[in-house]
Amino acid sequence: MGLANCVLSKTENGNGKSRPWGKAGGGCLLTGHETFENWNGWLLCARRGASSIRAGEAWQCAASVRAPEIADPKTMTTDVLLSEPTTVESPRFITPSKATAKAILRTENLCVDYPRRGWGQPGKRAVNNLNLSVWPGEVFGFLGPNGAGKTTTMNVLLGFRQPTSGQAFLFGSNVREPIARQRLGYLPEMTYYYKFLSAEELLQFYARIFDIPRPERERRIDLVLKLVELDGVRKRQIKTYSKGMQQRVGLAQALINDPELLILDEPTSGLDPIGRMQVRQIIQRLKSEGRTVFFSSHELGEVETVCDRVAILKQGELQVEGAINSLAQQHGCNLEQLFLKVIGYTPNT
């Protein structure tokens, strides 16, 4: 386990308890775990993958770090990677080092061509040499105007379409292999469910598809319905739900298998302000649990609120990628202004 997998966490009062900022996972803040070593009011914690850690592993990792290699704890105000001592002002997502962490989603020179539809009509390259990496525990916004190639890329990741060339990987496995999709949840832009079913019956159906044992099935249904705030109407038929409620049923369906990665295609499409706010709050809760969320959206204000990093596509090609704050500083504008600049839109004056 390398130093980039270690995290320095400040204690609340020196009693060996750390502030519960979230679930342990790749790249996210580690808190709420047993204290392994207390050094001047700071805790040395470690993780191994996205699963629980054993005390022996963490103690070995903490003991391997010499005190002189660690920055003065008085200069630190939140969790930081030991390999990157720095001063920060508030809890933030830490992107894992590429040398020590594996991307949970990755594309390499991905190209997707659509054949010509009729005589004299040329084919279209929907995605052109896309290279993208999404790290465990981050919320990633996949942006672009209509026709930029966002949904096509998602279809490749989900196995709905084969790439013309290049490769795509989930959890280190090629997306051509079914095993790559066992740990993800998916919400399409347009959800179509049996309207005569209730939310509870729908989730029972999907839980059986995943072969979830009955006791665990009931527990997960209760959990996801509470998360999406539909527990009180779980026995009502879906056809009686509003558009926002139906979208939240879709999110519950995407979460029923307890996925590590969520792929959401326009999750707030067609929703009113209250519906968008509710979906945004759900994404923020998932983020606090350390899940990885990869989603497309045209609601740039919401993307700016919940995302750690974004990528902007134009005509199938990646134009900009990076942390939102870094992009704002680099280009001297907010995300909406950057988006319009990248796609070449000039408003009429």
Side-chain angles (χ1 to χ4, degrees):
M1 189 181 303
L3 292 184
N5 278 346
C6 299
V7 174
L8 199 61
S9 300
K10 195 179 192 310
T11 58
E12 288 289 295
N13 50 21
N15 62 0
K17 298 295 183 181
S18 59
R19 188 175 180 181
W21 275 331
K23 168 185 173 183
C28 65
L29 299 174
L30 295 180
T31 56
H33 285 296
E34 180 181 355
T35 301
F36 300 111
E37 185 170 5
N38 193 326
W39 182 64
N40 278 354
W42 290 76
L43 307 179
L44 288 176
C45 301
R47 68 164 174 82
R48 195 175 193 84
S51 59
S52 299
I53 53 178
R54 297 194 296 271
E57 293 176 343
W59 182 261
Q60 181 180 6
C61 176
S64 69
V65 181
R66 299 191 303 275
E69 295 177 340
I70 307 175
D72 184 355
K74 294 180 181 179
T75 67
M76 299 182 183
T77 57
T78 187
D79 293 13
V80 296
L81 293 175
L82 294 183
S83 58
E84 300 175 0
T86 184
T87 301
V88 292
E89 297 178 354
S90 60
R92 63 182 177 87
F93 174 83
I94 306 295
T95 301
S97 166
K98 294 182 180 180
T100 58
K102 291 184 178 180
I104 202 168
L105 183 159
R106 178 166 54 92
T107 65
E108 294 180 353
N109 300 317
L110 186 67
C111 295
V112 181
D113 293 337
Y114 286 105
R116 63 185 185 182
R117 295 184 177 179
W119 181 259
Q121 295 183 357
K124 178 185 177 182
R125 171 149 290 190
V127 179
N128 188 32
N129 290 320
L130 179 63
N131 290 284
L132 204 62
S133 293
V134 178
W135 302 100
E138 71 176 342
V139 178
F140 193 96
F142 197 42
L143 312 178
N146 290 332
K150 304 185 300 298
T151 298
T152 298
T153 301
M154 289 185 173
N155 285 341
V156 170
L157 294 170
L158 294 161
F160 298 155
R161 173 171 288 277
Q162 295 297 320
T164 304
S165 62
Q167 300 183 89
F169 301 88
L170 295 175
F171 306 101
S173 298
N174 195 296
V175 295
R176 297 175 186 268
E177 304 171 15
I179 193 173
R181 297 184 291 278
Q182 289 184 347
R183 293 184 284 166
L184 67 82
Y186 170 59
L187 175 68
E189 179 179 359
M190 302 296 292
T191 57
Y192 298 98
Y193 301 121
Y194 295 114
K195 304 295 185 181
F196 57 84
L197 294 178
S198 66
E200 185 176 51
E201 291 169 336
L202 180 76
L203 294 178
Q204 288 278 3
F205 173 73
Y206 279 100
R208 286 196 293 269
I209 290 177
F210 282 104
D211 199 25
I212 300 172
R214 186 178 183 84
E216 176 67 9
R217 187 191 314 163
E218 300 300 329
R219 187 191 71 82
R220 289 195 193 176
I221 289 174
D222 289 342
L223 187 66
V224 297
L225 284 176
K226 288 176 182 177
L227 175 65
V228 300
E229 299 180 2
L230 291 176
D231 188 47
V233 294
R234 62 194 296 162
K235 296 189 180 296
R236 275 175 46 186
Q237 288 183 322
I238 294 173
K239 67 181 180 182
T240 68
Y241 287 2
S242 66
K243 166 78 176 190
M245 294 169 71
Q246 291 185 24
Q247 198 77 341
R248 283 184 279 148
V249 168
L251 279 170
Q253 169 271 133
L255 290 165
I256 194 63
N257 62 321
D258 195 24
E260 297 175 43
L261 168 65
L262 279 151
I263 296 179
L264 312 177
D265 192 0
E266 303 280 356
T268 59
S269 175
L271 300 185
D272 62 17
I274 294 176
R276 291 200 301 270
M277 179 192 68
Q278 290 170 329
V279 172
R280 182 175 68 246
Q281 289 174 341
I282 292 169
I283 292 175
Q284 288 173 326
R285 288 176 201 159
L286 296 171
K287 175 180 178 179
S288 70
E289 294 176 1
R291 299 181 195 267
T292 307
V293 182
F294 178 80
F295 76 101
S296 64
S297 177
H298 292 299
E299 302 291 341
L300 299 181
E302 294 176 359
V303 170
E304 203 162 13
T305 300
V306 301
C307 286
D308 301 297
R309 292 194 303 130
V310 298
I312 302 178
L313 269 63
K314 178 186 177 183
Q315 297 179 350
E317 295 186 351
L318 179 62
Q319 304 293 316
V320 172
E321 179 188 7
I324 293 177
N325 291 339
S326 298
L327 293 175
Q329 294 175 0
Q330 179 182 349
H331 296 274
C333 58
N334 62 27
L335 182 60
E336 181 178 17
Q337 293 168 333
L338 174 61
F339 179 86
L340 296 176
K341 185 187 300 185
V342 166
I343 66 173
Y345 175 77
T346 303
N348 295 326
T349 56

